[in-house]
Amino acid sequence: MTGGRVAGKAALITGAAGGLGQAMARMLVREGARVALSDLDLNGARALAEAINADHPGMAFAYEHDVTREDDWVRVVGAAVEDMGGLSILVNNAGIGGQLLWAEQDTLENWRKVQAVNLESVMLGCKHAMAPLRASDAGSIVNISSIAGLAAAPGMGAYNATKAAVWLYTKTVALEAAKAGWNVRANSVHPVFIKTPILDPFIAMAGGDEANAHEKLARGIPLKRIGEPDDVAYCVLYLASDESKFVTGAEFKIDGGLTAQ
C-alpha cells in the first residue's frame, strides 16, 4: 500500500479488538501503516485483522496480549517487529474503567487491577518497545490517558489516579528520549466521554437506556454531545505521523471544551 499520512510505518496498538483501538487501527491502515493488533480478546483481534486484510491485504496482524504481564510484552513486541519488519509507533490504548466506588468503599483488588491495566501496562510498553522505536527512522509513543487524568470525579479514584499518572509518565519518557538524543517522541491523549464499551457502567446506571445515559453525560460538555471513536483516532493519526515531528511531552484534550470552562 502506498501513500497516506503514515505510509510505511508500523504500529502496535494495545486493546485493539474494539472501541478506540479498532478505530485507531482502521484509520492508521487507511493512511498506509501496518498494524499489530494486541488484545486479551484474541478472537476479537483476529476478526479485526481479517476484516482489515480483506480490504488491505497483509496490513494487519493479531496477537493475544495480557498487557499486565511483562513476558507477554516481550513476546508481542518481538512478534510484531518480526511480522512487520520493525516498529515505529506504539499506542498504549488498553484500559479499563474499574468499579465506580468512593474512597471508603474502594477495594485493594479493584485499585490494583485498574493500576495494572491502565498504568503498569504503559510502563511495560514504553520499556519494551523503546529499542525497536529507536531503531526506526522516527518513533512515536501515544499513550491514551483521559480527561479523568486532569480533572477528578467522585467514585473514580482508581481511574483518576492511573490516568493522571499516565499523563505525567508520558512527559518523563518524552524528556528521557530527547535527552538521550533518540528520535522517539511521546505524547498523551485525553478524551472525555466517547461512545465505547467503557461507558457501559454509566448506561447500566441509567437502567440500560443508552440514549439517556449519553444525554446525561453530555450535559456538562460545552459542545453538548459525547465523542465518537474517530475523534480520538484522528488525533492519534496526527501524533503517529511525521506531521507532529516537533511535538513531544504534550497532552491533547479531546473533550468538547470541557476543561476550557
Side-chain angles (χ1 to χ4, degrees):
M1 186 175 185
T2 59
R5 295 168 64 185
V6 286
K9 294 185 180 294
L12 169 58
I13 306 169
T14 66
L20 292 180
Q22 186 172 129
M24 295 168 193
R26 291 184 180 279
M27 186 166 291
L28 289 175
V29 169
R30 285 199 302 269
E31 291 294 332
R34 288 158 292 163
V35 292
L37 313 173
S38 87
D39 204 291
L40 199 58
D41 176 11
L42 178 59
N43 289 335
R46 281 177 172 166
L48 177 58
E50 289 172 2
I52 289 173
N53 287 330
D55 294 324
H56 308 284
M59 296 295 283
F61 307 84
Y63 313 91
E64 185 174 14
H65 189 186
D66 181 344
V67 295
T68 68
R69 292 176 58 96
E70 187 161 17
D71 58 345
D72 257 23
W73 270 104
V74 172
R75 175 182 57 81
V76 170
V77 169
V81 169
E82 182 176 352
D83 288 340
M84 298 190 298
L87 185 67
S88 46
I89 301 160
L90 170 66
V91 184
N92 277 310
N93 168 68
I96 58 173
Q99 296 176 277
L100 295 174
L101 297 169
W102 284 38
E104 65 177 339
Q105 302 169 326
D106 209 349
T107 65
L108 195 56
E109 179 184 15
N110 177 65
W111 180 270
R112 287 177 172 169
K113 182 178 181 180
V114 177
Q115 293 282 326
V117 177
N118 290 3
L119 177 57
E120 291 176 11
S121 70
V122 173
M123 181 278 288
L124 290 171
C126 292
K127 174 183 177 179
H128 291 289
M130 188 60 76
L133 289 172
R134 292 196 332 244
S136 69
D137 290 336
S140 177
I141 297 170
V142 184
N143 292 329
I144 306 303
S145 179
S146 170
I147 286 301
L150 304 175
M156 296 179 66
Y159 188 76
N160 286 145
T162 59
K163 293 304 186 178
V166 167
W167 169 59
L168 199 58
Y169 179 71
T170 303
K171 294 179 180 294
T172 299
V173 173
L175 292 175
E176 289 176 354
K179 185 175 179 64
W182 303 332
N183 194 13
V184 177
R185 300 175 295 104
N187 296 284
S188 58
V189 175
H190 300 256
V192 74
F193 304 117
I194 306 293
K195 294 178 184 177
T196 69
I198 206 167
L199 296 186
D200 287 350
F202 297 99
I203 296 171
M205 290 169 62
D209 187 334
E210 182 176 293
N212 184 42
H214 289 177
E215 181 184 352
K216 287 181 178 179
L217 292 173
R219 287 174 185 169
I221 299 174
L223 290 182
K224 299 304 178 186
R225 61 180 184 271
I226 63 174
E228 302 284 349
D230 272 357
D231 294 329
V232 180
Y234 275 114
C235 184
V236 171
L237 173 62
Y238 167 70
L239 292 173
S241 76
D242 293 337
E243 297 164 11
S244 57
K245 61 184 175 61
F246 198 54
V247 177
T248 195
E251 61 281 331
F252 289 76
K253 304 171 186 176
I254 305 174
D255 67 353
L258 180 66
T259 53
Q261 299 179 104

